[in-house]
Amino acid sequence: MYNARTEQRRAWLQASPALIWLGFFFLAPLVLILIYSFQGRANDGTVLWNWSLANYQKLFADGAFWRTLWLSTWIALVVTAITLVVSYPLAFFMATRSPKRRGLLVLAVMIPFWTNFLVRIYAWKVLLGNNGVVNRFLDQFDLGPLQMINNPSAVIMALIYGELPYMILPLYAALERFDWVQLEAARDLGAGRFQTFWRVLLPQTLPGITAGSILVFVPTVGTFAVSDILGGTSVNMVGNSLSLQFGSASNWAYGSAISMIFMLLLLGAILLYFKATQEVNDGENPG
Amino acid sequence: MKLNRFGLLLMVLSLLVACGEASPTTTPPTTPAGTATGGNSGSVDRSKLSETLRIYAWGEYIPEDVPQLFESEFGVKVTVDTYSSNEEMAAKIRAGNSGYDIVQPSDYMVALLAEGNYLAKINLANIPNVANIDPANMGLYYDPNNEFSVPYLWGTTGIAYDKTAVSPAPTSWSILFDPAQLSAYKGRVSMLNDEREVIGAAMLFLGKDRNSSEPADLEAAKKVLLEQKPLLAKYNSDNVYQDLASGEVVLAQSWNLYTGLAMIDNENIEWVIPQEGGVIWQDTMAIVAGTPNQYTAEVFIDFMNRPEIAAKVADFTAALTPNVKAEPLIGEELKAVYPKIKPSAEDRKRLDWLRKGQNATAFSDVWSAVKSQ
């Protein structure tokens, strides 16, 4: 017997390892965080079982949290925008090389991954520190020292550096699939350079842009290591607040409330973004 | 320039360690450590030893070769994970099932953890080397009978500075908390990343008790800390000594052990216990309640109290050792700076402990408000 039902059952069976994995290690902790977010904190820093909305009330009244959230979002948007602008021409360049070259270029983009991310971030500190390589070079000419770390720019710079491959690769994948004959067709039909890009190339690589933007935005908005190492006291991102609450401040309940709100806002923003890019796409390519 | 390059090297090396890149593979030492160290391993019942021992230690507190020495003598594999604040460690231990056998709480945290039944009662009969410890370091307020902890290192909290950059020599916490004085060093100053130390120092500056958890005092301390924050480079408890030695910061709230390490690398680093007072502390070794490896943990603590091992620890950390038999064995580098970082009788009068508050979370609340601002 070969019917739709057994086919479906087989599909579930095949998916079950992944589903069980996600259920245990993603869904269950998420439910736990949701439950924690309605509890309190005992005097010794453990979770006190006492259902209430207190954490959320405190959170909504907490001006520092909303500033933190705004700073995180702003940094993540800037990082996403700059990586997109920098990566698109590079991905274009890569996709238009000979297939053999392309492989080498993709490899070149991947190579930095082989070094631990934190080591690369510390390298920025060594470069830009008050007594770092750049400042000591400037010192030779009696310039500086410039204060280049412990501020938002240092964090943004290091994040752009770290996230670039996540933007380049999806863009490259989208551009590689693109049928270049369409560009010639557009030019033949009288479209200018800009119009060709805007109305032909861009819409068809939009899935790559969407994927790249989300791949960059999500880890960036939640980062805590980069802001911790390069941000000094001036950059507190949501990730830093979370690591504080779950770490030394030992207020898991409040930390859980922060993550719930953060997750909901992030989810909302991403859905909106998907919807918007979808509409652009549909508008450009009716049918 | 020489020392700057050294500072850079230190930074690069330490970040390799910090990122867990350092390979855990160990090369078996060729010398029979048991005889070389002249320990008392004869009295240890090896059949009761576990296969592994997991230690949760302060960062850069346990010299790299010590786990290997222990392993080659007793056949117990020792792994060390690190933390940089008492609260960070406590959060993990309180969450349960941490898997750690030994932790290194400071004085007040011993009291807090013992109160919550998170620490096992230690059988001192298994730790004969405890006799090497200065009686002055035993039986302190946080653990009057040393039921839960054995001293590891002790020291003080004060101000470290680079005398070529900071003048006149600071004598008061006001250099760190008075914006008018602090702004001269904007961006080149760090405070410890430690809620009790930072709030305690602000209290001292304000003329309050370093342990005060009165709401009005906490509010005043918070205000001072918020004014200070924009002028700081960072809150840092991890590698203050590198920052000081390399000139990354020129003024820092610091522990004397970090200051000692910085002094060894950079002769311009000076140390002061401010006139308003400083903090005296003692870090310990304690056993996590419920561990199946209690006996092995006690054997390890005894091992750490052998004079030559304790001296190795002192050399590695540049902290003050409570081990009187170890003190004559410390290396030349540390010996040279020891008089500077060991509190004088005069300093002692201005030192006091951080004590566990009735409301420990009050400090956390102020701290998270300051940090997330």
Side-chain angles (χ1 to χ4, degrees):
Chain A
M1 255 313 254
Y2 197 79
N3 61 24
R5 188 179 281 184
T6 54
E7 184 72 348
Q8 208 171 24
R9 200 176 294 158
R10 187 172 300 159
W12 276 101
L13 206 66
Q14 281 163 353
S16 61
L19 289 176
I20 290 169
W21 180 271
L22 284 174
F24 263 109
F25 296 110
F26 180 72
L27 211 56
L30 201 63
V31 171
L32 206 59
I33 287 173
L34 181 66
I35 294 172
Y36 273 162
S37 74
F38 293 104
Q39 311 304 326
R41 174 180 51 170
N43 207 3
D44 70 348
T46 49
V47 174
L48 180 73
W49 291 94
N50 177 22
W51 290 86
S52 83
L53 283 169
N55 292 317
Y56 289 97
Q57 282 164 348
K58 186 177 159 193
L59 192 60
F60 282 106
D62 185 353
F65 168 72
W66 295 103
R67 270 195 300 280
T68 299
L69 191 68
W70 166 240
L71 181 71
S72 304
T73 312
W74 180 77
I75 287 178
L77 284 174
V78 170
V79 169
T80 310
I82 296 178
T83 45
L84 178 61
V85 171
V86 171
S87 302
Y88 202 97
L90 182 67
F92 185 91
F93 173 81
M94 287 166 66
T96 48
R97 298 306 100 182
S98 70
K100 197 180 152 201
R101 273 277 171 74
R102 275 183 235 167
L104 279 175
L105 287 167
V106 169
L107 188 71
V109 170
M110 304 278 281
I111 281 174
F113 276 106
W114 299 350
T115 308
N116 182 298
F117 179 66
L118 282 177
V119 174
R120 288 183 281 137
I121 297 307
Y122 270 103
W124 280 94
K125 198 172 141 170
V126 174
L127 281 175
L128 301 181
N130 289 332
N131 227 351
V133 177
V134 174
N135 266 327
R136 247 179 280 159
F137 176 75
L138 292 176
D139 210 31
Q140 310 287 317
F141 308 100
D142 284 331
L143 300 165
L146 295 177
Q147 176 75 46
M148 289 177 289
I149 57 165
N150 300 326
N151 56 40
S153 325
V155 175
I156 289 173
M157 199 142 52
L159 281 168
I160 290 170
Y161 159 78
E163 300 293 334
L164 264 179
Y166 297 98
M167 185 65 92
I168 294 171
L169 295 176
L171 284 179
Y172 167 76
L175 282 161
E176 205 199 11
R177 278 197 304 267
F178 183 72
D179 185 359
W180 300 102
V181 179
Q182 291 184 37
L183 288 190
E184 284 169 39
R187 298 298 290 274
D188 289 348
L189 292 169
R193 276 169 177 274
F194 178 75
Q195 243 184 336
T196 310
F197 168 73
W198 191 251
R199 313 240 348 227
V200 180
L201 186 60
L202 194 67
Q204 296 200 49
T205 51
L206 204 58
I209 295 174
T210 313
S213 301
I214 287 172
L215 279 179
V216 171
F217 183 84
V218 172
T220 301
V221 78
T223 188
F224 76 98
V226 179
S227 44
D228 204 45
I229 294 166
L230 293 170
T233 52
S234 65
V235 185
N236 188 72
M237 295 177 69
V238 176
N240 302 102
S241 290
L242 284 174
S243 92
L244 183 70
Q245 296 304 334
F246 282 96
S248 70
S250 229
N251 195 344
W252 287 26
Y254 192 55
S256 299
I258 294 180
S259 22
M260 287 319 294
I261 294 293
F262 182 52
M263 234 180 308
L264 283 176
L265 290 175
L266 200 59
L267 196 66
I270 288 170
L271 287 178
L272 273 179
Y273 181 70
F274 260 128
K275 207 160 168 266
T277 50
Q278 203 68 48
E279 270 165 20
V280 171
N281 222 0
D282 292 349
E284 290 292 335
N285 306 315
Chain B
M1 279 327 265
K2 182 171 160 262
L3 91 229
N4 282 344
R5 226 174 296 147
F6 184 65
L8 199 70
L9 183 70
L10 256 180
M11 184 182 271
V12 171
L13 284 177
S14 76
L15 63 86
L16 286 174
V17 175
C19 306
E21 286 291 287
S23 130
T25 52
T26 56
T27 44
T30 45
T31 51
T35 52
T37 52
N40 64 326
S41 50
S43 60
V44 170
D45 183 352
R46 283 159 184 271
S47 66
K48 282 161 70 182
L49 292 177
S50 59
E51 277 177 21
T52 58
L53 194 64
R54 292 191 64 201
I55 299 173
Y56 198 30
W58 284 91
E60 295 173 71
Y61 245 34
I62 295 186
E64 279 102 359
D65 60 339
V66 162
Q68 291 167 33
L69 289 174
F70 188 76
E71 184 178 354
S72 62
E73 187 169 337
F74 295 101
V76 176
K77 176 133 189 66
V78 178
T79 56
V80 180
D81 290 340
T82 63
Y83 56 87
S84 63
S85 84
N86 277 300
E87 286 70 22
E88 185 187 341
M89 176 270 292
K92 243 188 199 163
I93 298 306
R94 284 168 177 149
N97 293 321
S98 65
Y100 295 114
D101 303 306
I102 293 179
V103 287
Q104 296 193 310
S106 304
D107 38 75
Y108 72 93
M109 191 50 81
V110 173
L112 277 170
L113 288 179
E115 195 177 76
N117 298 319
Y118 296 107
L119 299 180
K121 279 203 174 164
I122 295 178
N123 183 359
L124 287 178
N126 290 329
I127 311 179
N129 282 328
V130 85
N132 299 338
I133 294 175
D134 190 336
N137 292 73
M138 298 286 286
L140 293 166
Y141 87 93
Y142 60 85
D143 187 11
N145 301 313
N146 286 92
E147 283 176 286
F148 300 104
S149 68
V150 174
Y152 186 68
L153 292 169
W154 69 282
T156 60
T157 314
I159 300 173
Y161 60 98
D162 183 330
K163 69 180 176 201
T164 61
V166 179
S167 69
T171 57
S172 157
W173 285 111
S174 62
I175 188 134
L176 285 171
F177 291 110
D178 173 9
Q181 293 180 51
L182 183 60
S183 52
Y185 310 104
K186 182 175 192 277
R188 311 200 78 170
V189 185
S190 71
M191 293 289 286
L192 291 169
N193 191 7
D194 187 303
E195 60 183 56
R196 293 300 309 272
E197 291 283 13
V198 172
I199 295 170
M203 291 288 183
L204 287 168
F205 166 71
L206 291 166
K208 310 283 185 198
D209 186 286
R210 43 174 89 51
N211 293 306
S212 173
S213 57
E214 292 295 319
D217 292 352
L218 286 170
E219 203 47 48
K222 181 174 154 186
K223 193 164 164 279
V224 165
L225 293 173
L226 285 174
E227 278 173 15
Q228 179 199 42
K229 195 181 169 194
L231 299 168
L232 297 177
K234 54 189 159 180
Y235 296 108
N236 182 14
S237 299
D238 294 322
N239 49 5
V240 186
Y241 59 96
Q242 290 159 7
D243 282 352
L244 281 166
S246 69
E248 188 64 31
V249 303
V250 295
L251 181 64
Q253 181 196 29
S254 175
W255 291 308
N256 61 346
L257 80 168
Y258 283 159
T259 313
L261 286 174
M263 281 173 168
I264 289 171
D265 288 349
N266 182 342
E267 59 195 5
N268 295 323
I269 302 301
E270 293 289 338
W271 171 245
V272 63
I273 304 289
Q275 64 198 25
E276 298 92 340
V279 168
I280 183 169
W281 48 261
Q282 179 154 271
D283 292 339
T284 70
M285 281 190 284
I287 301 174
V288 179
T291 169
N293 306 329
Q294 168 139 4
Y295 180 72
T296 315
E298 284 161 351
V299 171
F300 183 80
I301 294 174
D302 188 56
F303 176 81
M304 295 306 283
N305 278 299
R306 291 180 185 176
E308 66 281 5
I309 301 290
K312 207 186 255 288
V313 169
D315 281 338
F316 182 69
T317 55
L320 304 171
T321 178
N323 194 310
V324 286
K325 287 198 182 159
E327 210 173 315
L329 304 178
I330 60 175
E332 293 304 320
E333 278 187 334
L334 179 59
K335 240 175 216 162
V337 301
Y338 219 62
K340 282 189 176 178
I341 56 171
K342 192 165 180 172
S344 64
E346 198 51 44
D347 287 338
R348 290 256 187 166
K349 291 180 197 154
R350 300 199 303 281
L351 295 170
D352 201 358
W353 302 87
L354 292 174
R355 290 166 199 270
K356 75 175 180 70
Q358 286 308 305
N359 182 10
T361 54
F363 299 109
S364 301
D365 286 340
V366 170
W367 185 235
S368 59
V370 170
K371 286 209 55 178
S372 55
Q373 194 60 251

